[in-house]
Amino acid sequence: MVSTVWQNPVLLIVVPLGLAFFTPIIGLIRKELVKYIPILGMLFNLTLSLFLLPKVLDNPIIVSLSGWKPPFAINLFVGPVGILFSILISLVGLLTAIYGINYIKKGAVEKYHMLFLLLLTGATGIVLTGDIFNLFVFFEILCISSYALVAYNQDKNGIEAATKYLIQGSLGSAFILLGIGFLYGLFGTLNMADIARNITTVDSPALFIAMALFITGFGVEAAIFPLNAWLPDAHSSAPSTISAILSGIAIHIGIYAIFRVLYTLFGFNSIFTVLAVIGIVTLLIGEMSAFRQENIKRVLAYSSMGQMGLIIFALSIGTVDGISGGLFQIITHTLSKSLLFLCVGYMVYSTNSMELSSLNGLGKRMPLISLLFTIGVFSLIGLPPFIGFPSKLSIILAGLKTGETLFLILIVLMLLATVIEGVYFFRIIQILYFKEPDKEERFKTPFTLLFPVIILGLLIVAIGIYPGLLQEILDRSAEIFWDKLSYIKIVFGG
Amino acid sequence: MDFLYHNIHFIGAFGLMFIGLYMIAVKKNLIKKIIGLGFVETGINLFLIIIGYIKNGTAPIFSKAGLDPARMVDPVPQALVLTAIVINVAILALALGLAIRLYGHYKTLNVEKIRGLKW
């Protein structure tokens, strides 16, 4: 299946991991070189993922490590969903790394870049692996590096937020490990396909406990409603590049993990209704909390929480259309929220304040950044012709297609939440454009800060105008993500 | 009593986890919360070991003839625990490092007094 060494999907994990370990050594030789290493790694990942995408759309690739066949080896399941996530991770990682060249200057720079690469490695590993314990290990790589990166500025808020995040997050990962223990006790295997094919043979309350432990554990990272106290603090106190990565990638990885485990391993249908309701509750609470914030980064953090609710709702509809809509919304949120955090990072950097009032009249002082910020906001609210419109529309259509009263009520609540979202985001736009600035002078934006934001803005508009570019890939991904039997068949080569 | 005799190891493992959860939830001192985290993780490691354990079992090495495979201890959970211990060391070290920094900023470890952000 894999024709040459350079097309092996393992490289998506190996190359950034290796580069991450070489970073401190290169830092010893030439300190200025360190900041280009993440760009190199992510460029490689992006190229390889884009190259692999058309291949895995037909046939997902199974990579068994060290020559053993599954279920004895750790295998990678490189399907369209994994590659789709891998493209998103490497794209946002690449753009954020370019942004970081001029943004991250003080502090332990080489450690920042090492942890940054490790975070992205962990995320890529989670979406590609087919082994439940391997998933846990990559999850811990992702979590530990993100705890450390939240505290990177070493100021009061950053350290406090990181401590909070660490305690809640590691309790969550402890639950996951306990859930893995239950599964191993029941099935004697850690391979997801092997567990999935034997799951019907066991009817035990331990199975339900394991599922609850997985949802709780991954739910901390995915910011499901009662487990998300850390999110607004961590996302608002981290450096803006890290906020972009956390909001754009890390929380989606939590959601991917929950639904990979649910769709492939357990497949209890009754849990999806509960999750759909929890999703909408998360959405409403997130948007309402965002409404009354005065700190721009906290507004964005709470808005991320709301969007997570929306994605959980879409993925819990339990039809291929719903999953396709959910994946589309993940792409929307990744692109828009990283764009917003990167724009806000520059605004905060120039004005030295995160209060909404300090943004007065910035539309005149930094016109391009403000324009791109507005694009991101419109896309999140779901206005045409930006990417948020087709994705929200497809979620609503998928919900209506089920024809159930519960989903109808939930969709009405979702639209209500969108209205709240619109109100607070339009307030920020009003502050940007219609308030008088304190000073007249314009800011000069360095090219390395401007370039990533422009690319993200262009992608948002381009996909918004031609959603057909993605629709086919998303539908195929959703089909494979949902279909448990074909997953088992592909892994065991039947 | 018979139940206790057969399940005492599970009770011990889950007991450790609950002590840890209690400490994280109730104690106000950050260091005690971190110790609680250590308790939870130790409990889980113990649980994983118990899953694969056989009384009077041997190591699963086929070097000597005449060893009974049914008496061999499952090595996979032990490998898992080894990995988990390494991860826990990283987490606890990072947590203690953050606690030191937090003490430097606030001159206290009482989480009720550390309220720069909303807890």
Side-chain angles (χ1 to χ4, degrees):
Chain A
M1 268 182 270
V2 182
S3 42
T4 65
V5 180
W6 291 106
Q7 296 167 18
N8 195 328
V10 180
L11 291 175
L12 291 175
I13 299 168
V14 172
V15 168
L17 192 64
L19 284 176
F21 285 114
F22 274 115
T23 305
I25 300 173
I26 296 171
L28 283 178
I29 305 164
R30 283 288 293 274
K31 220 166 181 186
E32 309 86 76
L33 287 180
V34 168
K35 56 191 175 190
Y36 301 107
I37 297 174
I39 301 178
L40 208 67
M42 287 303 116
L43 204 58
F44 173 79
N45 264 20
L46 187 61
T47 326
L48 183 56
S49 313
L50 283 174
F51 174 77
L52 285 172
L53 183 67
K55 300 191 169 184
V56 296
L57 276 180
D58 305 328
N59 280 313
I61 303 172
I62 300 296
V63 184
S64 315
L65 302 180
S66 67
W68 297 80
K69 290 258 166 273
F72 298 109
I74 291 175
N75 71 293
L76 300 185
F77 184 88
V78 190
V81 194
I83 288 294
L84 203 63
F85 269 96
S86 164
I87 290 174
L88 277 182
I89 292 164
S90 44
L91 177 70
V92 175
L94 176 66
L95 294 175
T96 320
I98 295 176
Y99 188 93
I101 295 178
N102 272 328
Y103 185 78
I104 300 293
K105 280 180 182 154
K106 53 181 198 299
V109 180
E110 69 270 24
K111 287 185 188 119
Y112 167 88
H113 291 291
M114 183 187 74
L115 288 168
F116 182 82
L117 265 175
L118 279 178
L119 200 163
L120 296 167
T121 312
T124 316
I126 291 171
V127 294
L128 293 183
T129 188
D131 180 281
I132 191 95
F133 189 74
N134 201 226
L135 194 149
F136 169 76
V137 172
F138 280 122
F139 192 74
E140 284 289 6
I141 294 178
L142 171 99
C143 286
I144 296 176
S145 35
S146 57
Y147 306 147
L149 282 171
V150 167
Y152 179 72
N153 283 341
Q154 305 206 354
D155 54 346
K156 253 182 172 179
N157 289 350
I159 304 262
E160 189 185 335
T163 315
K164 244 193 256 187
Y165 182 18
L166 184 141
I167 290 182
Q168 299 181 15
S170 48
L171 204 55
S173 1
F175 282 152
I176 298 167
L177 188 57
L178 190 59
I180 291 172
F182 273 105
L183 281 187
Y184 189 79
L186 288 172
F187 299 103
T189 173
L190 293 166
N191 188 298
M192 291 212 267
D194 204 17
I195 297 175
R197 87 176 154 182
N198 292 323
I199 201 119
T200 43
T201 59
V202 174
D203 184 26
S204 144
L207 207 58
F208 185 77
I209 295 172
M211 186 193 67
L213 285 169
F214 277 119
I215 293 179
T216 325
F218 289 126
V220 175
E221 188 65 23
I224 291 182
F225 160 55
L227 310 167
N228 50 16
W230 60 272
L231 186 140
D233 296 339
H235 286 204
S236 61
S237 311
S240 288
T241 43
I242 299 307
S243 309
I245 293 285
L246 287 182
S247 257
I249 291 170
I251 44 181
H252 298 128
I253 299 298
I255 287 192
Y256 167 86
I258 290 182
F259 284 94
R260 168 58 82 202
V261 166
L262 282 183
Y263 292 153
T264 308
L265 293 190
F266 296 105
F268 292 147
N269 283 319
S270 50
I271 194 73
F272 289 130
T273 322
V274 181
L275 272 177
V277 174
I278 290 178
I280 290 297
V281 171
T282 313
L283 173 62
L284 281 170
I285 289 189
E287 303 296 11
M288 283 193 289
S289 316
F291 191 73
R292 39 183 285 270
Q293 297 301 318
E294 287 300 323
N295 175 328
I296 175 79
K297 280 182 88 172
R298 279 183 93 88
V299 173
L300 293 181
Y302 275 112
S303 145
S304 294
M305 190 167 132
Q307 294 283 326
M308 284 308 103
L310 179 58
I311 294 167
I312 292 168
F313 167 71
L315 291 175
S316 317
I317 292 175
T319 59
V320 172
D321 289 341
I323 297 167
S324 152
L327 291 175
F328 205 162
Q329 184 67 24
I330 286 178
I331 296 176
T332 302
H333 186 234
T334 304
L335 297 179
S336 318
K337 204 40 87 50
S338 351
L339 170 71
L340 289 180
F341 267 117
L342 293 181
C343 284
V344 165
Y346 183 61
M347 290 174 184
V348 172
Y349 180 74
S350 327
T351 59
N352 254 326
S353 159
M354 291 194 211
E355 296 300 312
L356 282 183
S357 55
S358 70
L359 301 180
N360 281 353
L362 276 187
K364 298 192 184 75
R365 296 176 72 194
M366 39 175 93
L368 194 54
I369 292 274
S370 305
L371 177 70
L372 289 161
F373 183 88
T374 316
I375 289 178
V377 161
F378 283 175
S379 151
L380 266 193
I381 299 171
L383 295 177
F386 304 107
I387 179 175
F389 177 69
S391 64
K392 267 195 182 166
L393 189 68
S394 61
I395 294 178
I396 294 173
L397 289 179
L400 290 178
K401 217 172 168 184
T402 59
E404 286 177 42
T405 328
L406 175 72
F407 281 115
L408 203 64
I409 298 169
L410 291 178
I411 283 172
V412 171
L413 288 174
M414 173 192 140
L415 291 173
L416 179 73
T418 307
V419 173
I420 303 174
E421 194 179 24
V423 173
Y424 69 76
F425 270 140
F426 275 119
R427 200 176 115 220
I428 298 177
I429 304 254
Q430 188 223 359
I431 289 173
L432 275 181
Y433 282 104
F434 299 107
K435 290 262 172 87
E436 281 308 309
D438 333 332
K439 298 186 197 111
E440 283 299 323
E441 93 298 352
R442 283 186 164 203
F443 289 105
K444 271 203 198 123
T445 321
F447 178 71
T448 51
L449 296 192
L450 212 50
F451 174 75
V453 200
I454 291 176
I455 296 286
L456 285 170
L458 284 179
L459 276 175
I460 288 174
V461 177
I463 303 176
I465 295 174
Y466 303 106
L469 284 176
L470 272 178
Q471 200 61 53
E472 214 171 298
I473 301 172
L474 287 172
D475 287 343
R476 178 78 183 131
S477 312
E479 232 170 80
I480 291 189
F481 198 15
W482 174 244
D483 193 353
K484 177 176 168 173
L485 293 178
S486 78
Y487 182 92
I488 299 169
K489 211 170 137 193
I490 290 165
V491 171
F492 292 110
Chain B
M1 231 37 221
D2 211 35
F3 174 78
L4 257 184
Y5 177 76
H6 288 295
N7 293 297
I8 186 73
H9 35 285
F10 283 112
I11 295 169
F14 280 93
L16 273 178
M17 280 177 226
F18 282 113
I19 291 171
L21 284 176
Y22 169 82
M23 284 174 79
I24 293 172
V26 176
K27 295 291 178 189
K28 295 191 177 66
N29 188 321
L30 191 59
I31 300 284
K32 288 189 183 164
K33 275 185 196 282
I34 294 170
I35 295 173
L37 209 57
F39 267 86
V40 175
E41 285 160 350
T42 314
I44 291 170
N45 289 346
L46 200 55
F47 173 71
L48 285 174
I49 289 284
I50 293 164
I51 289 173
Y53 188 72
I54 297 168
K55 215 173 178 182
N56 299 327
T58 55
I61 303 168
F62 288 92
S63 54
K64 270 185 275 179
L67 279 178
D68 179 13
R71 288 221 358 250
M72 285 177 182
V73 174
D74 187 353
V76 176
Q78 302 189 357
L80 301 191
V81 168
L82 214 56
T83 319
I85 287 174
V86 174
I87 291 171
N88 293 349
V89 168
I91 288 180
L92 290 183
L94 185 59
L96 290 171
L98 286 174
I100 293 171
R101 285 295 162 95
L102 208 56
Y103 186 80
H105 281 298
Y106 286 89
K107 300 293 170 217
T108 175
L109 283 172
N110 186 336
V111 291
E112 289 197 334
K113 291 194 180 131
I114 301 171
R115 283 184 175 276
L117 304 159
K118 288 162 208 148
W119 269 88

